[in-house]
Amino acid sequence: MEALDTGMRTFSRIFSLSFSGKKIALQIGGMVCACVASLIILHIGVFIFRERLQTLIALVNWVAVIFIMFVTWGAIAKVTVAEVAGLPAVDIKGALRAARKSAKPLIIAPLKIVLIIFVMMLCHVVADWCGLIPVIGEIVWPFLAIPLFFLSALILAAELIFVCGTFLLPSIIMVGKESPVSELNDFLRSHTLRFIGYLVATAVVVGIALLFFHVLMFENEMLSQRAMGDKYANIVSSVPPKMYAAFNRVAGSFCLPLPGCPSALLQSEWTGPASGRDLRWTYTFAGVIWGISTLIIRLAILALPFVIWCVSGTLIYLGLKPDAAPKP
């Protein structure tokens, strides 16, 4: 846990632990599973309820995605805990097995916070509905202004705890804590200021990583475009549109479109002139292979912020509370 001694060492440790093919593969798998679950829930909901209960369907979809992501983060946290604590390395199969064994607390812990938020929001809404009652509503509701303000403050505090929970709960659960939500609350109270500092550091690391890969993709495709000219445009135009749609569907599920992705820019810029030509079958083959490779790269970049988030949470929790780390 000496990696938390200085800011630069923290940055270095987060980078070294996050850029792992094993963790990125776990995160991609979790995102794809969450996306598939989302598609199933939304399609079944629309088919059964049509336009009714859309808010409820959206809520169920959101909760399902969160639960799948928590299980994914549990697997990543298991790998990271072993690395930080000096334990034998955990492979993908072992990480998934550990996450499956801890699936119950990984689901119940965030569910407790979500239910608290939901109940408080429901109380706020019910109080607001009272204001709709003719005559009585206008008399009673203004007296609720101060209580509702404090209730909103509690809702916001619970939402912030939930965000911190996505950061810390997987690690707390994977080190074997019995009451993870209580442990989370105690940890946040004991290390508030230092935790905020490291949370900001994590955000900076995510920003640096995404900027680096954005520039890398642009540089890579710009060089190919200038070297190959029309042939590059023909290959890009031969990528099956469903590959772009697949990535956009996964990215959209997490509200994380990859900004300024050169592939999308080049597709819109070059596909027009090239798509009207009769191209050899080799272009179709090249388009499929290039599209698959690009899809994997873009999914890995999309997964990276989540991996950094989970790894940082594990590193910071064990760094500020070293006695929680399992012994070799």
Side-chain angles (χ1 to χ4, degrees), residues 73-92:
W73 291 331
I76 296 173
K78 182 67 176 180
V79 176
T80 309
V81 167
E83 293 172 340
V84 174
L87 300 173
V90 178
D91 58 13
I92 291 179

Side-chain angles (χ1 to χ4, degrees), residues 209-219 258-262 265 301:
L210 289 180
L211 178 62
F212 172 80
F213 280 106
H214 167 64
V215 174
L216 173 61
M217 291 180 70
F218 182 82
E219 183 79 12
L258 200 57
C261 179
L265 294 176
I301 297 174

Side-chain angles (χ1 to χ4, degrees), residues 225-243:
Q225 173 197 341
R226 292 186 176 180
M228 298 173 63
D230 287 343
K231 178 160 284 194
Y232 178 73
N234 289 336
I235 292 175
V236 172
S237 71
S238 300
V239 176
K242 289 186 177 180
M243 290 188 180

